[in-house]
Amino acid sequence: MKNSNNTDYYLDAIDKQIIYMLMDNSKTSLAHIASKVGISTTAVHQRIKKLEHAGVIESTISFLNPKKIGFKVVSFIGIFLDQPSHYAEVVKSLKEVNEVVEAHYTTGNYAVFIKVLCKDNDHLMQILSKLQKFKGVTRTETFISLEQSIARQLKV
């Protein structure tokens, strides 16, 4: 459950330790965390629930390695819109494209900037063809990632 207000949440040293351990491995047992931070498992559980309620911890999920399941091309695509009013409709359409894993409303050249995972360049061409048919999209600009040098969560 998330806290509905957008106020900052104060993280003490124990909260940070708990968060870092969960970021390293979301399956870390409460007992292991408790032994490392020096509090009871009940206290760890209560702190995690408070962090979830405050919206500090949004979810605990495992991520797939796209390359291991055949998605070897990572690309970033800037989308130009003919009118800003088409933004909501384009985002709705993007949500229907499974290969689109991130979408951002941006300042600068592009109205929308997306991250797309594809099996190969032919697959990417199919996705681009689909995107360019969306109502309001005037053109796209594509960048293919050759290597992801940094992949991490924000440490506080």
Side-chain angles (χ1 to χ4, degrees):
M1 186 184 332
K2 292 183 185 177
N3 189 355
S4 60
N5 63 28
N6 286 336
T7 60
D8 291 337
Y9 186 87
Y10 173 75
L11 298 172
D12 66 18
I14 292 175
D15 288 336
K16 289 178 183 180
Q17 286 180 299
I18 292 169
I19 290 168
Y20 294 155
M21 281 190 266
L22 291 173
M23 284 169 51
D24 286 338
N25 180 358
S26 64
K27 295 181 180 181
T28 304
S29 72
L30 296 179
H32 178 75
I33 294 171
S35 71
K36 294 292 185 186
V37 301
I39 61 176
S40 71
T41 56
T42 302
V44 169
H45 180 72
Q46 290 171 343
R47 281 178 177 258
I48 291 171
K49 289 297 174 198
K50 284 181 185 176
L51 291 166
E52 289 172 342
H53 179 72
V56 174
I57 296 176
E58 291 186 344
S59 64
T60 53
I61 61 172
S62 298
F63 287 96
L64 295 175
N65 180 339
K67 289 182 180 180
K68 297 288 185 184
I69 57 172
F71 289 80
K72 299 185 184 317
V73 176
V74 176
S75 63
F76 298 90
I77 302 171
I79 300 174
F80 294 83
L81 300 179
D82 60 358
Q83 295 179 11
S85 60
H86 286 122
Y87 172 73
E89 187 176 347
V90 168
V91 169
K92 184 178 178 184
S93 297
L94 288 170
K95 287 179 179 179
E96 299 299 317
V97 180
N98 187 54
E99 294 85 353
V100 175
V101 295
E102 290 183 24
H104 302 268
Y105 192 32
T106 63
T107 61
N109 291 332
Y110 318 112
V112 185
F113 198 69
I114 63 174
K115 180 178 178 180
V116 178
L117 303 177
C118 295
K119 294 181 180 197
D120 53 33
N121 287 346
D122 289 334
H123 187 198
L124 176 58
M125 290 285 291
Q126 292 169 7
I127 299 300
L128 286 169
S129 178
K130 185 183 294 188
L131 299 179
Q132 292 165 351
K133 292 176 185 168
F134 290 168
K135 181 180 178 185
V137 173
T138 56
R139 69 184 181 102
T140 60
E141 190 170 318
T142 305
F143 305 89
I144 295 176
S145 172
L146 300 176
E147 174 185 71
Q148 182 175 345
S149 305
I150 299 172
R152 64 177 173 211
Q153 298 234 17
L154 178 67
K155 293 228 176 178
V156 290

